[in-house]
Amino acid sequence: MALVAGFTALPTTARGATQETAPCAKLAAAEVSFPAGDANRVVFVTATDANQASVLITGCARDGPGYLQEWQVAGFIGAKGFAPAGTLGEGEFRSPTGSFSATEALGLADPGTTLAYHVINPRSRWGGPGSPSYNYYLEGGSPRDENLWYWANQGTYAQATVINYNRMPDSPAVPGADYAIFFGAGNRPSAGCVSTTLEIATRVVTTLSPGDRFIMGVVGDVFLPARPIPAAAPTAAPPAAEPTGVASSPAASSPAAGPVPSVTSTDAPSATEPEAQNPGQDAGGTDFVLAGILLVLAGLAAVAVVVVLGRAAASGG
């Protein structure tokens, strides 16, 4: 709706609230209450108190998966501040709360935009109460429709972007829920529009594309608390090295506990283990000794036999 002269901006620190000066970072961190959809650019309009007209306006542009700030400026909304989401009515001098798309713009001359653009002429109107074109552009109309030509020549709508509150493609237009909510110039409190400098109003017209969005409201309604950073999972400490010379436990020497040490020589015995005995060699040595003893005994027996036979022969002769 058209700007209303004579209103004074309220202080930006009303009730001690804190303004959010980094909304693009909040959007990138998914800490915004209202959806941005697939918007490549998002314009934030935020106040620190619901009843104040002065706001902070921030332009954000997509950067990969997140958003970066392009510009930031002070501005104004409806003279009585923001209405809670879904409650705005005509004549309240408040601005809507929520996320709204941009698809159209209007002004005295097209500055170069991809939005559908209406060049304002003396017959240009915006459908008001009772109009079959309620909350849409038309030419001709009735005295109850807003006279765009008049306000464009006052500087208010020299360049303006339509905020799709209470109108398609965001929602069907509901009579009585307010109309003609634009992002324009004039830089003073209004009957519901967002107002800033003509330079910024023109920049928004030229840079926004269909589907880009405005996210508007009180800081506490627009932004979510910062998400806590999850604690890193504890890492297991490496096993302590065993002191040199201490025997390993059975588990440590099992195949599952680690690699088998390599053998550097098949001939040399292990440096840490005694040389294995060969049972086969021990048995062979014992048999040899026994055989020798038996041979000696056999020899002695033979000698004894010879001696006895000799004595017998001597006795007989």
Side-chain angles (χ1 to χ4, degrees):
M1 299 177 72
L3 298 179
V4 178
F7 288 93
T8 303
L10 301 178
T12 57
T13 56
R15 299 188 184 178
T18 302
Q19 182 61 264
E20 176 56 65
T21 58
C24 305
K26 298 287 281 185
L27 180 59
E31 295 169 0
V32 176
S33 300
F34 302 109
D38 296 327
N40 288 318
R41 281 187 166 83
V42 177
V43 176
F44 282 93
V45 181
T46 57
T48 57
D49 185 87
N51 298 315
Q52 72 181 66
S54 56
V55 292
L56 183 67
I57 308 172
T58 308
C60 305
R62 184 178 290 279
D63 179 59
Y67 289 86
L68 294 179
Q69 179 176 308
E70 287 190 305
W71 51 268
Q72 192 169 72
V73 68
F76 300 92
I77 54 170
K80 294 185 179 180
F82 278 114
T87 67
L88 181 61
E90 287 174 12
E92 295 182 1
F93 289 85
R94 291 184 179 273
S95 297
T97 295
S99 175
F100 312 105
S101 70
T103 53
E104 297 179 43
L106 49 87
L108 293 172
D110 186 349
T113 179
T114 58
L115 300 173
Y117 192 86
H118 304 288
V119 178
I120 297 175
N121 63 75
R123 289 175 51 81
S124 297
R125 301 290 185 270
W126 197 264
S131 171
S133 298
Y134 183 76
N135 209 12
Y136 290 91
Y137 177 87
L138 74 155
E139 295 188 358
S142 71
R144 302 193 69 182
D145 299 322
E146 185 161 278
N147 188 329
L148 300 178
W149 177 252
Y150 171 81
W151 290 109
N153 284 282
Q154 297 297 313
T156 304
Y157 299 157
Q159 293 296 339
T161 305
V162 180
I163 297 172
N164 286 329
Y165 162 74
N166 191 33
R167 66 191 306 273
M168 297 297 287
D170 289 18
S171 65
V174 177
D178 215 2
Y179 64 102
I181 306 297
F182 304 146
F183 185 101
N187 210 26
R188 61 184 185 271
S190 72
C193 289
V194 180
S195 174
T196 185
T197 65
L198 178 58
E199 176 187 0
I200 293 297
T202 304
R203 180 170 185 169
V204 170
V205 170
T206 57
T207 58
L208 263 59
S209 298
D212 289 343
R213 302 191 77 83
F214 296 92
I215 296 181
M216 304 167 52
V218 179
V219 167
D221 294 332
V222 171
F223 301 107
L224 300 171
R227 296 183 177 184
I229 300 174
T235 56
E242 294 182 354
T244 304
V246 178
S248 301
S249 66
S253 61
S254 67
V260 178
S262 61
V263 178
T264 57
S265 173
T266 56
D267 298 329
S270 169
T272 57
E273 296 182 5
E275 185 175 0
Q277 300 295 321
N278 189 331
Q281 291 178 349
D282 291 345
T286 302
D287 292 345
F288 180 81
V289 171
L290 291 176
I293 293 173
L294 290 175
L295 289 174
V296 170
L297 292 176
L300 292 175
V303 171
V305 170
V306 172
V307 170
V308 171
L309 291 176
R311 288 180 179 179
S315 300

